[in-house]
Amino acid sequence: MYDMKALYEATSVDDAVALRIAHPEAQIIAGGSDVLVQMREGRRAGAELISIQKLDELRGVKMEEDGTIRIGSLTSFSHITKDPIIQKHLLVLGEAVDQVGGPQIRNIGTIGGNTCNGVTSADSASTLFALDAIIELTGPNGVRRLPIQEFYIKAGKVDIREGEIQTGILIPKESYENCCGHYVKYAMRNAMDIATLGTSVNVRLSVDKKTVERARVAFGVAGPIPMRAATAENLAAGKPISMELAEAFGKAVREDINPRDSWRAAKDFRLHIAVESAKRAFIESVKLAGGDL
């Protein structure tokens, strides 16, 4: 059923790095929800695999001393959704990853695998972009950290260098403190489907809950990689909350995104969805933050 040349099991992060160097053509496998499917379809026939499944140090969510939230790359979607730190501070991320596949996929699929695939439709990606996430990679030269916007290079390609593995995803305190967000996934089916468009918004309101101090909006499947809509973000900053602002915010995202035609949806339809979903996610985010609309 699975045509593979070899399977190596890493016993530590250092061991995984050493295996990557010794077998540069080998594919990292964690949950296997993508790799094993591709092998079964014959797209990775004769592959070498490096399993990092036993590296428990890469699992879990924790709060670091400076308030940074660290998510281990082997943390499953279901664990992220249920984690108390996520529920308290990053509910929008739990909401987003809870829409990946079905329960079985969410139990084995990992956030590291979801981001390392480099696909724009990944349900975690737009929310991580909106949260200015930092990707941590460990390799022969030590630990390297880079903004998620730099991690995604082009469709299906991310900045993982020779010998490196992704070990964590970091959300700085500044990116989530006093913020509330909402994720909207539009798909052809209500469940078990890839996003036609994914939209993630988060806002921070003034103390009196009448003004938008800061807004972030990011999209999946609105371009070759996930992307932010800076025009809409700048438009909302410092403005009094209102339905008119929500309408303008939604329309402004058209200035920065570039969806394509595909068998799932035409470009014009994706643009229409982007405007509407950005507006709806903005409204819901404001309400979650205590604003009155």
Side-chain angles (χ1 to χ4, degrees), residues 265-286:
K267 176 178 180 176
D268 287 346
F269 183 58
R270 281 198 172 98
L271 285 169
H272 172 74
I273 299 170
V275 170
E276 186 63 25
S277 61
K279 181 185 78 172
R280 292 184 184 186
F282 178 84
I283 291 170
E284 186 62 25
S285 298
V286 168

PDB file of all heavy atoms in Angstrom, residues 265-286:
ATOM      1  N   ALA A 265     -13.598  28.007  -7.866  1.00  0.00           N
ATOM      2  CA  ALA A 265     -14.290  29.299  -7.899  1.00  0.00           C
ATOM      3  C   ALA A 265     -13.585  30.235  -8.876  1.00  0.00           C
ATOM      4  O   ALA A 265     -12.362  30.189  -9.037  1.00  0.00           O
ATOM      5  CB  ALA A 265     -14.323  29.932  -6.515  1.00  0.00           C
ATOM      6  N   ALA A 266     -14.368  31.099  -9.498  1.00  0.00           N
ATOM      7  CA  ALA A 266     -13.807  32.122 -10.372  1.00  0.00           C
ATOM      8  C   ALA A 266     -13.202  33.253  -9.542  1.00  0.00           C
ATOM      9  O   ALA A 266     -13.575  33.467  -8.389  1.00  0.00           O
ATOM     10  CB  ALA A 266     -14.904  32.679 -11.277  1.00  0.00           C
ATOM     11  N   LYS A 267     -12.277  33.967 -10.147  1.00  0.00           N
ATOM     12  CA  LYS A 267     -11.618  35.080  -9.463  1.00  0.00           C
ATOM     13  C   LYS A 267     -12.642  36.097  -8.957  1.00  0.00           C
ATOM     14  O   LYS A 267     -12.557  36.547  -7.798  1.00  0.00           O
ATOM     15  CB  LYS A 267     -10.631  35.760 -10.410  1.00  0.00           C
ATOM     16  CG  LYS A 267      -9.958  36.998  -9.816  1.00  0.00           C
ATOM     17  CD  LYS A 267      -8.953  37.600 -10.776  1.00  0.00           C
ATOM     18  CE  LYS A 267      -8.304  38.841 -10.153  1.00  0.00           C
ATOM     19  NZ  LYS A 267      -7.240  39.407 -11.035  1.00  0.00           N
ATOM     20  N   ASP A 268     -13.588  36.505  -9.803  1.00  0.00           N
ATOM     21  CA  ASP A 268     -14.575  37.503  -9.398  1.00  0.00           C
ATOM     22  C   ASP A 268     -15.408  37.021  -8.207  1.00  0.00           C
ATOM     23  O   ASP A 268     -15.770  37.821  -7.329  1.00  0.00           O
ATOM     24  CB  ASP A 268     -15.488  37.848 -10.573  1.00  0.00           C
ATOM     25  CG  ASP A 268     -14.793  38.701 -11.615  1.00  0.00           C
ATOM     26  OD1 ASP A 268     -13.717  39.234 -11.307  1.00  0.00           O
ATOM     27  OD2 ASP A 268     -15.327  38.833 -12.731  1.00  0.00           O
ATOM     28  N   PHE A 269     -15.717  35.725  -8.181  1.00  0.00           N
ATOM     29  CA  PHE A 269     -16.488  35.189  -7.067  1.00  0.00           C
ATOM     30  C   PHE A 269     -15.667  35.234  -5.784  1.00  0.00           C
ATOM     31  O   PHE A 269     -16.182  35.593  -4.720  1.00  0.00           O
ATOM     32  CB  PHE A 269     -16.942  33.763  -7.373  1.00  0.00           C
ATOM     33  CG  PHE A 269     -17.809  33.156  -6.303  1.00  0.00           C
ATOM     34  CD1 PHE A 269     -18.993  33.766  -5.921  1.00  0.00           C
ATOM     35  CD2 PHE A 269     -17.448  31.978  -5.669  1.00  0.00           C
ATOM     36  CE1 PHE A 269     -19.803  33.218  -4.938  1.00  0.00           C
ATOM     37  CE2 PHE A 269     -18.248  31.418  -4.679  1.00  0.00           C
ATOM     38  CZ  PHE A 269     -19.426  32.044  -4.317  1.00  0.00           C
ATOM     39  N   ARG A 270     -14.378  34.879  -5.883  1.00  0.00           N
ATOM     40  CA  ARG A 270     -13.522  34.945  -4.697  1.00  0.00           C
ATOM     41  C   ARG A 270     -13.399  36.381  -4.189  1.00  0.00           C
ATOM     42  O   ARG A 270     -13.356  36.619  -2.978  1.00  0.00           O
ATOM     43  CB  ARG A 270     -12.137  34.357  -5.001  1.00  0.00           C
ATOM     44  CG  ARG A 270     -12.084  32.839  -4.982  1.00  0.00           C
ATOM     45  CD  ARG A 270     -10.657  32.347  -4.838  1.00  0.00           C
ATOM     46  NE  ARG A 270     -10.611  30.908  -4.625  1.00  0.00           N
ATOM     47  CZ  ARG A 270     -10.378  30.011  -5.572  1.00  0.00           C
ATOM     48  NH1 ARG A 270     -10.175  30.414  -6.819  1.00  0.00           N
ATOM     49  NH2 ARG A 270     -10.347  28.724  -5.294  1.00  0.00           N
ATOM     50  N   LEU A 271     -13.315  37.341  -5.087  1.00  0.00           N
ATOM     51  CA  LEU A 271     -13.260  38.738  -4.664  1.00  0.00           C
ATOM     52  C   LEU A 271     -14.543  39.135  -3.931  1.00  0.00           C
ATOM     53  O   LEU A 271     -14.502  39.837  -2.913  1.00  0.00           O
ATOM     54  CB  LEU A 271     -13.041  39.650  -5.877  1.00  0.00           C
ATOM     55  CG  LEU A 271     -11.634  39.664  -6.468  1.00  0.00           C
ATOM     56  CD1 LEU A 271     -11.620  40.379  -7.812  1.00  0.00           C
ATOM     57  CD2 LEU A 271     -10.643  40.323  -5.507  1.00  0.00           C
ATOM     58  N   HIS A 272     -15.662  38.688  -4.446  1.00  0.00           N
ATOM     59  CA  HIS A 272     -16.946  38.972  -3.790  1.00  0.00           C
ATOM     60  C   HIS A 272     -16.985  38.354  -2.387  1.00  0.00           C
ATOM     61  O   HIS A 272     -17.390  39.013  -1.422  1.00  0.00           O
ATOM     62  CB  HIS A 272     -18.087  38.423  -4.638  1.00  0.00           C
ATOM     63  CG  HIS A 272     -19.423  38.484  -3.961  1.00  0.00           C
ATOM     64  ND1 HIS A 272     -20.127  39.666  -3.795  1.00  0.00           N
ATOM     65  CD2 HIS A 272     -20.174  37.514  -3.367  1.00  0.00           C
ATOM     66  CE1 HIS A 272     -21.254  39.422  -3.147  1.00  0.00           C
ATOM     67  NE2 HIS A 272     -21.315  38.128  -2.866  1.00  0.00           N
ATOM     68  N   ILE A 273     -16.547  37.097  -2.296  1.00  0.00           N
ATOM     69  CA  ILE A 273     -16.521  36.421  -0.993  1.00  0.00           C
ATOM     70  C   ILE A 273     -15.582  37.153  -0.029  1.00  0.00           C
ATOM     71  O   ILE A 273     -15.876  37.308   1.157  1.00  0.00           O
ATOM     72  CB  ILE A 273     -16.068  34.960  -1.139  1.00  0.00           C
ATOM     73  CG1 ILE A 273     -17.015  34.178  -2.032  1.00  0.00           C
ATOM     74  CG2 ILE A 273     -15.998  34.280   0.233  1.00  0.00           C
ATOM     75  CD1 ILE A 273     -16.474  32.805  -2.404  1.00  0.00           C
ATOM     76  N   ALA A 274     -14.432  37.598  -0.550  1.00  0.00           N
ATOM     77  CA  ALA A 274     -13.444  38.264   0.303  1.00  0.00           C
ATOM     78  C   ALA A 274     -14.025  39.524   0.932  1.00  0.00           C
ATOM     79  O   ALA A 274     -13.836  39.780   2.134  1.00  0.00           O
ATOM     80  CB  ALA A 274     -12.199  38.602  -0.508  1.00  0.00           C
ATOM     81  N   VAL A 275     -14.708  40.317   0.149  1.00  0.00           N
ATOM     82  CA  VAL A 275     -15.312  41.553   0.658  1.00  0.00           C
ATOM     83  C   VAL A 275     -16.345  41.233   1.744  1.00  0.00           C
ATOM     84  O   VAL A 275     -16.330  41.824   2.831  1.00  0.00           O
ATOM     85  CB  VAL A 275     -15.973  42.342  -0.494  1.00  0.00           C
ATOM     86  CG1 VAL A 275     -16.807  43.501   0.058  1.00  0.00           C
ATOM     87  CG2 VAL A 275     -14.913  42.867  -1.451  1.00  0.00           C
ATOM     88  N   GLU A 276     -17.218  40.293   1.450  1.00  0.00           N
ATOM     89  CA  GLU A 276     -18.289  39.965   2.387  1.00  0.00           C
ATOM     90  C   GLU A 276     -17.754  39.296   3.649  1.00  0.00           C
ATOM     91  O   GLU A 276     -18.178  39.624   4.769  1.00  0.00           O
ATOM     92  CB  GLU A 276     -19.311  39.056   1.706  1.00  0.00           C
ATOM     93  CG  GLU A 276     -20.552  38.763   2.528  1.00  0.00           C
ATOM     94  CD  GLU A 276     -21.381  39.995   2.839  1.00  0.00           C
ATOM     95  OE1 GLU A 276     -21.303  40.993   2.080  1.00  0.00           O
ATOM     96  OE2 GLU A 276     -22.109  39.972   3.858  1.00  0.00           O
ATOM     97  N   SER A 277     -16.820  38.367   3.494  1.00  0.00           N
ATOM     98  CA  SER A 277     -16.305  37.661   4.673  1.00  0.00           C
ATOM     99  C   SER A 277     -15.454  38.573   5.547  1.00  0.00           C
ATOM    100  O   SER A 277     -15.474  38.456   6.776  1.00  0.00           O
ATOM    101  CB  SER A 277     -15.505  36.420   4.257  1.00  0.00           C
ATOM    102  OG  SER A 277     -14.393  36.767   3.459  1.00  0.00           O
ATOM    103  N   ALA A 278     -14.712  39.504   4.933  1.00  0.00           N
ATOM    104  CA  ALA A 278     -13.930  40.460   5.727  1.00  0.00           C
ATOM    105  C   ALA A 278     -14.855  41.349   6.543  1.00  0.00           C
ATOM    106  O   ALA A 278     -14.598  41.627   7.723  1.00  0.00           O
ATOM    107  CB  ALA A 278     -13.044  41.304   4.817  1.00  0.00           C
ATOM    108  N   LYS A 279     -15.949  41.793   5.926  1.00  0.00           N
ATOM    109  CA  LYS A 279     -16.924  42.615   6.646  1.00  0.00           C
ATOM    110  C   LYS A 279     -17.527  41.839   7.814  1.00  0.00           C
ATOM    111  O   LYS A 279     -17.595  42.346   8.939  1.00  0.00           O
ATOM    112  CB  LYS A 279     -18.025  43.075   5.692  1.00  0.00           C
ATOM    113  CG  LYS A 279     -19.071  43.961   6.365  1.00  0.00           C
ATOM    114  CD  LYS A 279     -20.217  44.312   5.426  1.00  0.00           C
ATOM    115  CE  LYS A 279     -21.181  43.149   5.285  1.00  0.00           C
ATOM    116  NZ  LYS A 279     -22.396  43.535   4.519  1.00  0.00           N
ATOM    117  N   ARG A 280     -17.957  40.615   7.551  1.00  0.00           N
ATOM    118  CA  ARG A 280     -18.601  39.811   8.598  1.00  0.00           C
ATOM    119  C   ARG A 280     -17.628  39.473   9.716  1.00  0.00           C
ATOM    120  O   ARG A 280     -17.984  39.520  10.904  1.00  0.00           O
ATOM    121  CB  ARG A 280     -19.172  38.532   7.985  1.00  0.00           C
ATOM    122  CG  ARG A 280     -20.336  38.782   7.045  1.00  0.00           C
ATOM    123  CD  ARG A 280     -20.923  37.470   6.535  1.00  0.00           C
ATOM    124  NE  ARG A 280     -21.976  37.703   5.555  1.00  0.00           N
ATOM    125  CZ  ARG A 280     -22.721  36.747   5.033  1.00  0.00           C
ATOM    126  NH1 ARG A 280     -22.539  35.474   5.393  1.00  0.00           N
ATOM    127  NH2 ARG A 280     -23.660  37.038   4.138  1.00  0.00           N
ATOM    128  N   ALA A 281     -16.390  39.122   9.352  1.00  0.00           N
ATOM    129  CA  ALA A 281     -15.402  38.785  10.380  1.00  0.00           C
ATOM    130  C   ALA A 281     -15.034  40.016  11.200  1.00  0.00           C
ATOM    131  O   ALA A 281     -14.792  39.928  12.409  1.00  0.00           O
ATOM    132  CB  ALA A 281     -14.154  38.183   9.734  1.00  0.00           C
ATOM    133  N   PHE A 282     -14.991  41.175  10.556  1.00  0.00           N
ATOM    134  CA  PHE A 282     -14.713  42.426  11.273  1.00  0.00           C
ATOM    135  C   PHE A 282     -15.825  42.709  12.279  1.00  0.00           C
ATOM    136  O   PHE A 282     -15.561  43.038  13.449  1.00  0.00           O
ATOM    137  CB  PHE A 282     -14.588  43.576  10.269  1.00  0.00           C
ATOM    138  CG  PHE A 282     -14.352  44.920  10.892  1.00  0.00           C
ATOM    139  CD1 PHE A 282     -13.075  45.328  11.237  1.00  0.00           C
ATOM    140  CD2 PHE A 282     -15.411  45.799  11.133  1.00  0.00           C
ATOM    141  CE1 PHE A 282     -12.841  46.574  11.815  1.00  0.00           C
ATOM    142  CE2 PHE A 282     -15.201  47.046  11.708  1.00  0.00           C
ATOM    143  CZ  PHE A 282     -13.917  47.427  12.042  1.00  0.00           C
ATOM    144  N   ILE A 283     -17.066  42.605  11.846  1.00  0.00           N
ATOM    145  CA  ILE A 283     -18.210  42.858  12.733  1.00  0.00           C
ATOM    146  C   ILE A 283     -18.181  41.917  13.931  1.00  0.00           C
ATOM    147  O   ILE A 283     -18.348  42.340  15.085  1.00  0.00           O
ATOM    148  CB  ILE A 283     -19.533  42.706  11.956  1.00  0.00           C
ATOM    149  CG1 ILE A 283     -19.686  43.843  10.943  1.00  0.00           C
ATOM    150  CG2 ILE A 283     -20.731  42.674  12.912  1.00  0.00           C
ATOM    151  CD1 ILE A 283     -20.838  43.661   9.968  1.00  0.00           C
ATOM    152  N   GLU A 284     -17.951  40.624  13.661  1.00  0.00           N
ATOM    153  CA  GLU A 284     -17.931  39.656  14.753  1.00  0.00           C
ATOM    154  C   GLU A 284     -16.766  39.909  15.700  1.00  0.00           C
ATOM    155  O   GLU A 284     -16.905  39.780  16.929  1.00  0.00           O
ATOM    156  CB  GLU A 284     -17.840  38.240  14.181  1.00  0.00           C
ATOM    157  CG  GLU A 284     -17.946  37.127  15.208  1.00  0.00           C
ATOM    158  CD  GLU A 284     -19.270  37.114  15.950  1.00  0.00           C
ATOM    159  OE1 GLU A 284     -20.280  37.615  15.404  1.00  0.00           O
ATOM    160  OE2 GLU A 284     -19.298  36.598  17.093  1.00  0.00           O
ATOM    161  N   SER A 285     -15.611  40.301  15.157  1.00  0.00           N
ATOM    162  CA  SER A 285     -14.446  40.591  15.994  1.00  0.00           C
ATOM    163  C   SER A 285     -14.712  41.781  16.909  1.00  0.00           C
ATOM    164  O   SER A 285     -14.353  41.758  18.103  1.00  0.00           O
ATOM    165  CB  SER A 285     -13.225  40.863  15.120  1.00  0.00           C
ATOM    166  OG  SER A 285     -12.876  39.740  14.348  1.00  0.00           O
ATOM    167  N   VAL A 286     -15.334  42.812  16.360  1.00  0.00           N
ATOM    168  CA  VAL A 286     -15.672  43.991  17.166  1.00  0.00           C
ATOM    169  C   VAL A 286     -16.632  43.607  18.283  1.00  0.00           C
ATOM    170  O   VAL A 286     -16.475  44.033  19.437  1.00  0.00           O
ATOM    171  CB  VAL A 286     -16.270  45.097  16.269  1.00  0.00           C
ATOM    172  CG1 VAL A 286     -16.898  46.202  17.127  1.00  0.00           C
ATOM    173  CG2 VAL A 286     -15.196  45.674  15.360  1.00  0.00           C
TER     174      VAL A 286
END
